Amino acid sequence: MKTIRYDSFFVDLQSTSLYRQVESLIHQKKLSGQTRIRNCLALLSTDLDTVLISIKAAGGQETIDVESKCENTECGALGTYGINLQVLLRSLQAGDYGTPLNIGELSIHFEPLNYKNMNVAALEQFEIQAKYKDMSKIEDTQERIKLSQEALIDITKLTMSILGRTIVRVETPNGEVTDYDHIHDFLKNADTRTYETIRDYNTQLREKSTIKPLDIICEECKHEYKQPFTLNASDFFG
């Protein structure tokens, strides 16, 4: 029996097949060489889906069920569709994090968030949602506008903080900057066009490494549509 360290608890596997798959995926460059299976909280966000699918496949599971509601308003039928894990695995491609974003004399290098920082960001996002969840119930227009502005500021700060964590260094004519606080200050003081260029480039890198929407054909009316698909880690370690 093999044991994977998952920070504060352990996941036991009945065989070494997961290790073999992960090692093979790293060799094939489907997983980054930085992946450390013994500390899953250090797992890179770009590798997370690949590892979760591999865990399912290592246990002998061939498909994963996805529930979907037909987008055809005249139908709306609910269906369960089996997605082949091997096909899903082969569809995943890593974003090109080795290529920097060049803006003028600056070269900005990115890296994926690790799973720990993803959880921290999700918790902070949840706290913002909880803080402003009753905003629509406020009857006073001025107070509602004030809270809306405060919410926008909080969301912008969180977005900038997450973006700063994805920048590993900024190369300038005078040297390179790697300190997070300095990078964060750079983002805060950047003009709108520069900031949006950096944000959009990181978004493109991230999207290349995630599971693409699934092509669904409704079993009832044969309507074709795309369904977003996200793997939930709790379903694999629960």
Side-chain angles (χ1 to χ4, degrees):
M1 178 180 292
K2 294 293 183 180
T3 300
I4 291 180
R5 176 79 182 182
Y6 191 78
D7 202 50
S8 59
F9 63 94
F10 295 88
V11 179
D12 292 327
L13 298 178
Q14 298 299 322
S15 71
T16 61
S17 55
L18 173 61
Y19 283 91
R20 295 197 193 100
Q21 288 201 37
V22 171
E23 289 173 356
S24 174
L25 289 166
I26 291 175
H27 179 71
Q28 297 171 36
K29 297 184 179 180
K30 280 185 174 291
L31 285 181
S32 77
Q34 301 176 48
T35 298
R36 296 291 181 269
I37 196 65
R38 290 190 177 278
N39 182 4
C40 288
L41 291 184
L43 186 69
L44 300 179
S45 60
T46 51
D47 294 339
L48 181 59
D49 286 345
T50 304
V51 170
L52 292 179
I53 294 171
S54 297
I55 290 172
K56 285 288 191 183
Q61 186 168 332
E62 296 182 355
T63 63
I64 186 170
D65 290 339
V66 176
E67 293 185 353
S68 181
K69 180 179 180 179
C70 180
E71 292 184 348
N72 182 357
T73 56
E74 297 180 357
C75 178
L78 293 174
T80 301
Y81 303 85
I83 308 301
N84 185 282
L85 293 177
Q86 295 298 332
V87 173
L88 198 59
L89 190 61
R90 288 194 294 269
S91 71
L92 293 174
Q93 300 293 329
D96 185 10
Y97 282 88
T99 301
L101 169 64
N102 296 314
I103 303 179
E105 296 182 317
L106 301 178
S107 289
I108 304 172
H109 296 256
F110 295 83
E111 66 179 4
L113 286 177
N114 60 33
Y115 191 52
K116 179 179 180 180
N117 285 333
M118 288 171 60
N119 283 338
V120 170
L123 179 59
E124 292 177 349
Q125 183 179 17
F126 175 79
E127 291 174 346
I128 291 175
Q129 292 174 340
K131 181 179 179 181
Y132 298 103
K133 65 182 178 63
D134 296 325
M135 186 169 57
S136 61
K137 299 178 182 179
I138 298 176
E139 296 181 358
D140 186 278
T141 302
Q142 293 302 318
E143 181 66 18
R144 191 166 61 250
I145 292 175
K146 179 183 176 182
L147 281 180
S148 296
Q149 293 172 340
E150 291 178 359
L152 181 60
I153 292 173
D154 285 346
I155 293 171
T156 301
K157 287 181 178 178
L158 176 58
T159 302
M160 193 172 293
S161 174
I162 296 171
L163 181 58
R165 295 292 180 190
T166 67
I167 298 176
V168 64
R169 71 179 184 276
V170 179
E171 295 178 355
T172 75
N174 299 321
E176 66 177 31
V177 179
T178 59
D179 181 75
Y180 167 76
D181 291 334
H182 293 164
I183 291 174
H184 190 256
D185 286 341
F186 162 67
L187 293 175
K188 287 196 298 183
N189 295 312
D191 60 77
T192 301
R193 183 177 180 180
T194 298
Y195 176 78
E196 291 180 347
T197 299
I198 296 171
R199 180 200 62 195
D200 294 346
Y201 185 83
N202 179 64
T203 299
Q204 292 172 10
L205 287 175
R206 186 177 68 250
E207 289 179 346
K208 288 179 181 179
S209 306
T210 57
I211 298 175
K212 305 301 182 290
L214 304 174
D215 293 316
I216 303 291
I217 301 177
C218 176
E219 296 176 334
E220 297 294 329
C221 70
K222 307 305 178 184
H223 175 68
E224 299 182 13
Y225 62 97
K226 291 186 178 295
Q227 160 107 359
F229 180 58
T230 303
L231 292 172
N232 187 348
S234 63
D235 293 337
F236 293 78
F237 298 102

